[in-house]
Amino acid sequence: MNATDYLNRSALYRKLVYGPYREFAGVYAAKMSNEGLGRHCTWRSLSLFRDLMDWHVGNGHAPQDLSEVHVDRFLEHRFKHWKPDSGDRSALRRLLLALREKGLIPAALPILRSEHEKIVDVFGQYLSTERGLAAATMGSHKLLSLRFLREVCPLGVDGFAALTPQTVIGYVERHALDGSADSGKAMCGVVRAFLRYLHLKGFISMPLAGCVPSIRRWRLAGLPTFLPPEKVQKVLDACDRTTAMGRRDYAVLMILAKLGLRASEVSNLNLDDIDWQSGTILVHGKGRRQATMPLRHG
């Protein structure tokens, strides 16, 4: 399915052409149809267009003021919350080109790059040509590196001499909890790679990459270690003890709660393992080990 077929059926496109950005949406759709884009690319481009315009107008700008500066700020904002896609930037470049061809927005102004941005641009080229990173990965590296550089070196190159391990560690401590543990780990990896690059190219004399602390992401760390007694009682009360299945579930939960057995140990139990006369239970543990435990009453 090409762009034209998709647009004829798309509920998203119908909302856009009857919405506040109808003129922009129509021009953008015609551009994609003329270029013969596929269904998925057209859908993603329209979704990106809607999010961009909502963000742009929501920040107090007129639709006709749209430019590369606003697109860059929008993508920087977006990449903080969603995983970047390699086609996002090219899709929005196509939008700006289409709007300028129709005279709906002003012509592009010369882009003046700051010293921080120039350093990060060269870093991006290094990641692409020498490290072979994909465009999406390179884009996220550049955004995180630019944020780091602006905060710890506000003077640009002149501030590199003042970089110390304490400065780097302080930055990580301030931003490690900005998102999830995974995003914190990703941030540390980017800062480490950027510092390694700065040392390799002679921007800094001290190898600071090794002082970036690691953020541990333990598996199942978010699960509670135990349930308080009142919650255990709620689980037990949920068993319907008037049925055979409910009595079975109640017995299993009581063994887990009273004896502290593992789920695998409970699943391996059978009636022969229970000695009713002596009041003990034979538990089959890991490594074929066995242990006799007393049956608790009450």
Side-chain angles (χ1 to χ4, degrees):
M1 181 184 295
N2 58 26
T4 303
D5 296 333
Y6 169 74
L7 292 171
N8 290 333
R9 306 179 182 181
S10 171
L12 171 60
Y13 180 59
R14 286 195 296 272
K15 291 180 181 178
L16 290 173
V17 294
Y18 288 106
Y21 321 123
R22 61 179 68 88
E23 189 174 11
F24 282 20
V27 170
Y28 193 30
K31 180 75 170 177
M32 290 187 286
S33 295
N34 292 336
E35 293 185 3
L37 269 61
R39 174 192 175 280
H40 179 76
C41 185
T42 305
W43 166 80
R44 185 168 182 86
S45 298
L46 286 177
S47 299
L48 197 62
F49 164 75
R50 177 195 57 196
D51 295 344
L52 168 66
M53 297 307 298
D54 287 345
W55 176 87
H56 182 65
V57 175
N59 280 277
H61 303 290
Q64 295 78 13
D65 295 336
L66 192 64
S67 66
E68 283 80 3
V69 174
H70 302 111
V71 167
D72 288 341
R73 291 175 182 170
F74 165 73
L75 289 176
E76 184 173 355
H77 163 77
R78 183 180 178 85
F79 291 167
K80 292 179 182 178
H81 304 281
W82 291 280
K83 183 179 179 180
D85 187 275
S86 58
D88 288 354
R89 196 172 295 276
S90 61
L92 295 181
R93 281 200 298 265
R94 183 184 298 110
L95 169 66
L96 295 177
L97 178 60
L99 297 178
R100 287 191 174 116
E101 288 175 349
K102 297 297 183 179
L104 297 177
I105 61 174
L109 297 175
I111 299 177
L112 300 177
R113 307 291 286 175
S114 67
E115 186 178 17
H116 294 104
E117 291 171 328
K118 291 177 181 178
I119 295 172
V120 172
D121 286 342
V122 179
F123 176 53
Q125 295 173 5
Y126 164 80
L127 294 175
S128 177
T129 58
E130 298 191 33
R131 305 300 298 175
L133 267 63
T137 306
M138 181 188 67
S140 62
H141 274 57
K142 288 177 63 177
L143 286 175
L144 291 173
S145 301
L146 184 60
R147 188 193 309 171
F148 169 78
L149 196 57
R150 284 172 173 168
E151 182 169 331
V152 301
C153 292
L155 300 178
V157 175
D158 294 336
F160 283 153
L163 274 180
T164 63
Q166 291 75 19
T167 305
V168 175
I169 294 172
Y171 176 85
V172 173
E173 289 177 343
R174 287 192 299 274
H175 297 283
L177 299 179
D178 286 351
S180 64
D182 289 335
S183 64
K185 287 183 63 176
M187 179 200 68
C188 289
V190 171
V191 171
R192 199 175 290 115
F194 185 56
L195 289 172
R196 194 177 295 117
Y197 162 79
L198 293 179
H199 182 251
L200 176 67
K201 298 300 181 180
F203 287 105
I204 57 177
S205 58
M206 185 185 304
L208 296 174
C211 70
V212 179
S214 298
I215 297 179
R216 300 299 180 189
R217 180 67 171 89
W218 302 111
R219 184 173 176 267
L220 304 180
L223 296 178
T225 55
F226 66 93
L227 291 177
E230 59 272 14
K231 291 190 176 181
V232 173
Q233 190 59 50
K234 286 184 179 180
V235 175
L236 291 172
D237 293 341
C239 297
D240 184 5
R241 296 167 65 183
T242 62
T243 65
M245 185 176 295
R247 289 192 291 271
R248 180 207 63 185
D249 293 343
Y250 184 83
V252 169
L253 292 172
M254 284 293 291
I255 292 174
L256 291 171
K258 297 293 186 179
L259 299 182
L261 300 186
R262 300 182 179 92
S264 60
E265 294 169 342
V266 175
S267 65
N268 290 330
L269 287 176
N270 55 60
L271 289 176
D272 293 336
D273 295 324
I274 303 175
D275 189 338
W276 299 105
Q277 292 183 348
S278 61
T280 58
I281 182 172
L282 182 63
V283 179
H284 302 273
K286 292 183 177 180
R288 298 184 179 180
R289 288 178 295 182
Q290 297 180 348
T292 303
M293 299 185 66
L295 284 172
R296 299 181 61 180
H297 300 283

